[in-house]
């Protein structure tokens, strides 16, 4: 029992360390996201790893999934991410998700070079993913939601927390079920699906 408590404290301390580091370098991480889009658009082979060597060094052992969102005049222009880390460090996660967000979000046309000066970015780093068996613990301001169909593993949806216009748990669930291509049915929420909540470090 003592070991479990010690391990939990260690995880919390580690998370606080990661959070402080992300917040410390938030400007650089957002700059890297924008620059990765610029390099793709201009067909340049400049190395972000070389240019931001110190940032790569700072985050070399930190892995987190993240969502990169782009906006122009407060209008969403693309948002794609990873719930769990896919790449070897969080900086590469940002770069690759920024490129996917800019060019592969099926809801939007690819971002153009002309739009680049007006592009703003927001990055959400995913932490504390937890499976739930009731809805009481959800809070659309604090927690994001993941839904996975038990019948069809390919059907899953993700919704980030604290989204304008999403004010209730039901709002949140209806949107995330729709994103997963699933029918929102209160009676069978936990019989046919797995539901998770998560928090984010937002910059």
């Amino acid at each position: 029992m003592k070991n479990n408590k010690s391990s939990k404290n260690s995880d919390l301390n580690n998370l606080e360390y990661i959070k402080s580091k992300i917040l410390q370098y938030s400007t650089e991480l957002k700059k890297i996201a924008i620059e990765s889009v610029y390099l793709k658009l201009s067909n340049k082979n400049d190395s972000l790893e070389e240019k931001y060597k110190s940032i790569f060094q700072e985050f070399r052992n930190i892995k987190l999934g993240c969502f990169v969102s782009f906006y122009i005049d407060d209008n969403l222009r693309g948002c794609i991410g990873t719930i769990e880390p896919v790449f070897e460090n969080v900086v590469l996660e940002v770069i690759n998700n920024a490129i996917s967000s800019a060019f592969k979000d099926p809801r939007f046309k690819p971002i153009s070079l002309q739009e680049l000066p007006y592009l703003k970015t927001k990055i959400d780093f995913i932490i504390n993913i937890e499976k739930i068996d009731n809805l009481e613990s959800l809070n659309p301001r604090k927690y994001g939601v993941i839904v996975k169909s038990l019948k069809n593993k390919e059907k899953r949806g993700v919704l980030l927390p604290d989204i304008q216009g999403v004010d209730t748990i039901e709002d949140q669930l209806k949107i995330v079920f729709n994103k997963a291509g699933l029918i929102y049915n209160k009676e069978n929420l936990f019989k046919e699906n797995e539901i998770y909540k998560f928090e984010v470090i937002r910059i």
Side-chain angles (χ1 to χ4, degrees):
M1 190 72 177
K2 189 177 179 182
N3 287 342
N4 287 343
K5 190 173 180 181
S6 172
S7 172
K8 191 171 182 181
N9 287 339
S10 173
D11 289 344
L12 287 171
N13 291 337
N14 188 41
L15 200 52
E16 285 305 311
Y17 167 77
I18 290 170
K19 184 175 182 178
S20 68
K21 194 163 278 293
I22 286 171
L23 294 176
Q24 180 183 351
Y25 292 102
S26 61
T27 301
E28 289 84 353
L29 290 167
K30 290 166 87 170
K31 198 180 286 185
I32 286 169
I34 298 282
E35 282 194 40
S36 65
V37 176
Y38 166 72
L39 291 176
K40 189 80 172 172
L41 282 168
S42 54
N43 293 314
K44 291 190 175 180
N45 294 319
D46 301 24
S47 170
L48 288 174
E49 192 159 355
E50 189 63 34
K51 182 175 180 179
Y52 292 98
K53 192 180 290 184
S54 62
I55 305 299
F56 272 85
Q57 186 66 17
E58 289 288 344
F59 289 96
R60 69 191 183 281
N61 295 322
I62 296 175
K63 292 185 175 188
L64 285 176
C66 72
F67 278 72
V68 178
S69 306
F70 289 116
Y71 295 85
I72 294 177
D73 295 331
D74 294 327
N75 295 312
L76 186 64
R77 196 60 188 78
C79 177
I80 285 183
T82 43
I83 299 168
E84 293 176 335
V86 173
F87 299 94
E88 62 189 67
N89 64 58
V90 79
V91 186
L92 289 173
E93 206 80 31
V94 167
I95 290 169
N96 284 277
N97 287 340
I99 290 168
S100 293
S101 179
F103 304 113
K104 296 179 182 177
D105 189 330
R107 298 169 295 174
F108 304 96
K109 64 180 182 179
I111 286 168
S112 68
L113 199 55
Q114 290 72 28
E115 292 175 296
L116 205 63
Y118 310 102
L119 212 58
K120 304 292 181 191
T121 187
K122 178 178 75 181
I123 307 173
D124 289 281
F125 298 91
I126 310 300
I127 58 171
N128 296 336
I129 300 172
E130 181 186 336
K131 189 176 178 182
I132 62 169
D133 55 15
N134 64 74
L135 301 181
E136 281 78 45
S137 63
L138 290 180
N139 177 338
R141 288 280 162 259
K142 183 177 181 181
Y143 299 111
V145 178
I146 302 163
V147 62
K148 297 179 182 179
S149 169
L150 291 171
K151 291 181 178 178
N152 185 343
K153 298 294 181 184
E154 292 183 8
K155 288 196 172 187
R156 72 174 190 174
V158 184
L159 189 67
L160 295 168
D162 199 18
I163 294 175
Q164 189 174 359
V166 183
D167 301 315
T168 68
I169 293 170
E170 188 156 27
D171 288 343
Q172 200 176 35
L173 289 171
K174 283 179 178 176
I175 293 169
V176 79
F177 268 75
N178 184 55
K179 289 180 80 171
L182 296 167
I183 296 169
Y184 173 65
N185 182 341
K186 272 185 179 179
E187 306 305 317
N188 295 316
L189 278 186
F190 296 99
K191 291 177 187 173
E192 299 177 354
N193 311 283
E194 288 181 343
I195 300 177
Y196 300 79
K197 67 178 183 179
F198 63 91
E199 295 178 79
V200 298
I201 303 167
R202 178 169 287 171
I203 61 171

